[in-house]
Amino acid sequence: MRHNPAAGAVVIMLRTLKMHSMAQAVGELTEQGSPAFEGALPILSQLLKAETADREVRSTAYQLKAARFPNYRDLAGFDFASSEVNEALVRQLHRCEFLEDAHNVVLVGGPGTGKTHVATAIGVQAIEHHRKRVRFFSTVELVNALEQEKLQGRPGQIASRLAHSDLVILDELGYLPFSASGGALLFHLLSKLYERTSVVITTNLSFGEWATVFGDPKMTTALLDRLTHRCHILETGNDSFRFKNSSAKPAKSTKEKPRNLTNVEWTPKVRHEKR
């Protein structure tokens, strides 16, 4: 077989683009050693590189749309100076290595402390730089969808689809209530994703308060044991930097005494990383 590195590179690009018949034809033409074909290889290579780049752009745009982020966010737009979050851990998670082993992330903090921004930035990075499949939900929105599919006699379809995702983001757990049956459905969904799909959850509740959301203390304990197995916990504090930067903020105000958001009643068996 004739060795032609340029032709070999073209064959690889054609196979990547799933143009297998053309890849085989290039191999045959290389064997023939046609000078006209070898002269055309640089042009063919440029055309295939352009096609590859265009497909990657279109694929990324599609995945960003399919993720249904409320807004586009990245870490370049995050104000670490105004946040209590552990910047080093955020940047580590932003590399998305935790997705390879289906690890989870829980961001705990008060409103306006950057939880959704950080979660979204991780999801955007996973799509743009690691070609991962991501789905973002308001937690109440997801629970409503789970209840609706059950009423329609199609339980389990959402869970099956999400099990093929690399990352599921559940935003604002605990901000709005949902029914006990909804809590049970969410529990079963998270159980299905366990060790298959990474989950990022943002919440304003301490772990000890999660039973008020799910309704059943035993079920909540079982969920937390699974969720926090190989989990990274990020505390963002209680001091809203959105409010702090607002012109409506009084000149002097009494700062609420911060509370420990994770070490309340229930302590997960994980490495607890704080700043």
Side-chain angles (χ1 to χ4, degrees):
M1 179 178 290
R2 294 172 58 89
H3 177 67
N4 187 325
V10 166
V11 168
I12 290 173
M13 284 189 282
L14 286 168
R15 288 175 178 168
T16 301
L17 294 169
K18 302 187 185 302
M19 297 178 177
H20 301 292
S21 295
M22 289 184 66
Q24 182 178 349
V26 167
E28 294 170 354
L29 289 168
T30 302
E31 285 295 311
Q32 295 173 13
S34 167
F37 170 70
E38 292 183 0
L41 278 175
I43 296 175
L44 180 57
S45 177
Q46 289 299 315
L47 291 172
L48 291 174
K49 287 178 181 178
E51 177 64 21
T52 300
D54 181 66
R55 288 194 186 188
E56 289 180 355
V57 168
R58 285 187 281 118
S59 175
T60 298
Y62 172 81
Q63 291 297 337
L64 286 172
K65 184 177 180 180
R68 299 187 186 179
F69 297 116
N71 296 289
Y72 181 94
R73 293 285 185 267
D74 56 32
L75 282 193
F78 188 79
D79 186 5
F80 283 102
S82 300
S83 174
E84 298 177 29
V85 74
N86 184 332
E87 180 177 355
L89 181 54
V90 170
R91 295 196 180 279
Q92 173 191 327
L93 295 173
H94 192 248
R95 296 199 296 269
C96 297
E97 295 167 356
F98 73 97
L99 299 177
E100 300 306 320
D101 297 310
H103 289 190
N104 302 316
V105 177
V106 178
L107 293 107
V108 192
T113 56
K115 302 184 300 298
T116 301
H117 188 139
V118 171
T120 302
I122 291 172
V124 167
Q125 177 77 0
I127 292 172
E128 291 186 339
H129 297 277
H130 303 280
R131 300 180 183 177
K132 300 297 185 181
R133 291 162 295 182
V134 180
R135 185 65 167 88
F136 183 104
F137 289 96
S138 158
T139 302
V140 171
E141 169 198 342
L142 175 58
V143 170
N144 289 340
L146 292 171
E147 291 185 314
Q148 189 64 30
E149 73 164 5
K150 183 179 180 180
L151 288 173
Q152 295 173 352
R154 299 180 297 172
Q157 291 190 358
I158 293 175
S160 296
R161 289 199 302 270
L162 293 181
H164 291 93
S165 298
D166 299 293
L167 173 62
V168 174
I169 300 173
L170 301 184
D171 194 35
E172 298 186 335
L173 173 72
Y175 281 80
L176 292 173
F178 44 79
S179 66
S181 62
L185 290 170
L186 182 58
F187 168 79
H188 289 301
L189 168 65
L190 292 173
S191 297
K192 186 175 181 67
L193 299 182
Y194 176 58
E195 293 192 324
R196 299 177 63 178
T197 299
S198 291
V199 177
V200 171
I201 293 179
T202 74
T203 181
N204 64 330
L205 300 178
S206 67
F207 289 122
E209 297 172 305
W210 281 34
T212 62
V213 173
F214 291 93
D216 184 333
K218 290 184 178 179
M219 182 176 69
T220 304
T221 299
L223 170 64
L224 286 169
D225 282 339
R226 294 178 183 180
L227 182 69
T228 58
H229 177 220
R230 299 185 300 178
C231 178
H232 302 273
I233 300 171
L234 280 166
E235 294 186 29
T236 59
N238 283 308
D239 194 2
S240 169
F241 56 79
R242 285 203 302 260
F243 179 73
K244 186 161 54 179
N245 294 330
S246 171
S247 59
K249 182 184 177 185
K252 293 183 179 180
S253 61
T254 302
K255 185 176 180 181
E256 179 184 354
K257 184 179 179 180
R259 60 192 177 101
N260 189 314
L261 290 162
T262 53
N263 191 22
V264 179
E265 299 179 18
W266 190 92
T267 303
K269 298 176 182 180
V270 296
R271 181 181 61 183
H272 201 133
E273 302 183 63
K274 295 184 182 179
R275 204 169 187 177

